[in-house]
């Protein structure tokens, strides 16, 4: 098959690139390995029906009229009643009790001092060498945080919020990039599912997508045409330009062979940028044994930061708890069986709700994004010695501009406050940018 442009991957980046190409007279097709579109934005409609639950992205970050995905949501939202996640957030100690005001006050103060310390390292010109957040904060942490007790647990809880957001541990995260790329604005929970929204955007545009088509090789040796080999059909695809949107985790594992091999600078950027892990443990109960006005809870623990630290609570009739686990703890859980993980969660729930009789779950779904061969992780993070310059390399074209790169990890910093990475709208923006470049290369008007 021949096309002017082939887009590899039908996640947010691939779909955005295709929509952009529709305004040209170029022929194009998206090749997608899965039997569905959306990639890491995927809504499970079956397990908890009629409730829909996102297994990947669920919030439009920095939402508002400037965010194209929020604009799409507003124009397509017939089935959504607009709402953010409302309700209270509970903050629970390891045994389910509330913290005293005094402990909260003290812990906040210490947390702000640690945060300020990392921030001053980040902005100081002397800090030429990058270090992990763990290294930067160790001394001040040891000095300010008590060895045990509620204040320590609370400080750990506050700190682990950043680890959860970045889907990696402080020992891996770059101190120089602390807070970089976290665009302003609130988070909007897409009630009918972020994956569902992406599907509806694609449907509305009636995009040409070949599902179940795993790309294995991209050959740019011939200057006239690029040859694309797929696993499941003997015929090859030929094109003038290709846009690669497969996840950073797949690029790290070299799931596609490039001929000629990728230049060293590209390979190094792929190797250096971090691929984080965030998993969702979604559990449905026959009854709502928690206060149904509670929208989420955070939990402090004794042993180590960031275990079952955060759960979203969907009220009746859904009766669903969604735990978000990240970093090394998420990796540890991925290798356990479902039964072992559910046992851990039930033990945990019985510990924090000791006065309740908690029934066994009726349905559950546990994601394993690190073992998914079409993502190998959840989303990118700045590891030590990486930064926006690494994203610029990840996004930079190869093969004389015939190969364009997009995806959540390849959204170039445009110098505005709107810039972001590692999220659905960064993927979308990167796809638009790649397609615009091809339009400027191949179209005269
Ligand atoms: C648990 C979790 C929670 C998240 N929460 C949020 C959130 O609340 N808000 C937010 O904005 N972001 C969130 N994210 C991140 C967000 O989901 C991603 O940044 C975004 O969806 C990435 O889009 P993409 O197009 O770059 O990649 P993908 O969506 O991964 O698309 C790439 C596509 O390429 C396909 N592919 C891979 N290899 C091949 C191949 N060889 N041949 C053909 N096709 C291939 C894949 O199947 C996939 O469909 C979350 C992610 C996870 C996992």
């Amino acid at each position: 098959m021949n096309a002017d442009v082939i887009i590899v991957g039908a996640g947010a980046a691939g779909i955005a690139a295709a929509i952009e190409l529709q305004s040209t007279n170029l022929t194009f097709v998206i090749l997608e390995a899965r039997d569905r579109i959306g990639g890491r934005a995927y809504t499970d409609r079956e397990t908890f029906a009629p409730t829909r639950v996102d297994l990947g992205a669920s919030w439009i970050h920095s939402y508002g009229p400037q965010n194209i995905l929020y604009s799409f949501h507003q124009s397509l939202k017939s089935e959504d009643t607009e709402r953010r996640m409302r309700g209270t957030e509970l903050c629970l100690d390891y045994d389910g009790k509330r913290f005293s005001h005094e402990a909260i006050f003290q812990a906040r103060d210490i947390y702000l001092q640690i945060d300020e310390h990392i921030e001053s390292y980040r902005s100081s010109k002397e800090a030429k060498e990058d270090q992990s957040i763990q290294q930067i904060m160790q001394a001040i942490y040891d000095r300010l945080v008590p060895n045990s007790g509620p204040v320590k647990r609370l400080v750990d809880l506050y700190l682990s919020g950043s680890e959860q957001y970045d889907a990696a541990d402080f020992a891996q995260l770059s101190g120089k990039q602390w807070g970089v790329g976290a665009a302003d604005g609130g988070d909007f929970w897409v009630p009918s599912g972020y994956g569902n929204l992406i599907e509806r955007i694609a449907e509305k545009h009636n995009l040409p997508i070949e599902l179940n088509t795993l790309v294995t090789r991209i050959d740019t040796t011939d200057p006239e045409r690029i040859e694309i080999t797929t696993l499941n059909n003997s015929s090859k695809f030929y094109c003038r330009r290709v846009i690669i949107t497969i996840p950073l985790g797949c690029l790290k594992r070299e799931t596609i062979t490039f001929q000629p091999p990728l230049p060293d600078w590209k390979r190094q950027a792929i190797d250096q940028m971090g691929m984080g892990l965030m998993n969702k443990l979604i559990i449905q109960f026959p009854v709502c044994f928690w206060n149904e006005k509670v929208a989420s809870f955070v939990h402090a623990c004794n042993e180590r930061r960031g275990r079952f630290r955060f759960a979203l609570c969907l009220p009746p009739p859904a009766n669903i708890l969604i735990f978000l686990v990240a970093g090394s703890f998420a990796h540890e859980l991925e290798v356990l069986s479902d039964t072992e993980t559910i046992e851990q969660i039930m033990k945990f729930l019985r510990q924090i709700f000791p006065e309740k009789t908690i029934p066994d779950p009726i349905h559950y779904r546990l994601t394993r994004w690190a073992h998914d061969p079409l993502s190998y992780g959840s989303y990118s993070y700045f590891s030590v010695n990486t930064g926006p310059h690494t994203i610029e390399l990840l996004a930079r074209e190869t093969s004389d501009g015939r190969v364009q790169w997009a995806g959540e990890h390849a959204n170039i910093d445009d110098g505005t406050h709107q810039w972001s990475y590692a999220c659905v709208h960064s993927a979308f923006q990167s796809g638009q940018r790649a397609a615009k470049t091809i339009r400027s290369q191949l179209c005269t008007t």
Side-chain angles (χ1 to χ4, degrees), residues 118-119 121-133 136 173-180 382-389:
I118 305 171
E119 178 53 34
Y121 172 86
R122 188 183 77 79
S123 45
S124 94
K125 291 211 167 57
E126 295 94 65
K128 289 203 183 89
E129 294 268 309
D130 195 8
Q131 289 185 333
S132 71
I133 292 176
I136 295 162
L173 291 166
S174 156
K176 276 198 170 179
Q177 307 307 329
W178 174 251
V180 168
F382 288 123
S383 54
V384 177
N385 289 321
T386 64
H389 60 280

Side-chain angles (χ1 to χ4, degrees), residues 160-170 172-173 275-281 304-310 323-334 367 378-379:
S160 61
S162 306
E163 289 182 307
Q164 174 152 341
Y165 200 82
D166 286 325
D169 297 354
F170 280 152
Q172 299 163 317
L173 291 166
M275 186 61 173
L277 181 61
M278 152 89 73
N279 271 322
K280 291 189 175 175
L281 317 175
R304 216 188 63 194
R305 284 201 300 267
R307 295 177 80 86
F308 298 118
R309 75 170 293 283
F310 179 67
F323 289 91
L324 272 62
V325 294
S328 51
F329 183 49
H331 281 282
E332 282 167 33
L333 286 188
E334 274 215 11
T367 66
S378 299
Y379 46 88

Side-chain angles (χ1 to χ4, degrees), residues 133-145:
I133 292 176
Q134 184 69 46
Q135 285 170 306
I136 295 162
M137 69 172 206
Q138 194 62 56
I140 187 169
Y141 181 93
D142 291 344
R143 185 158 54 81
L144 296 180
V145 182

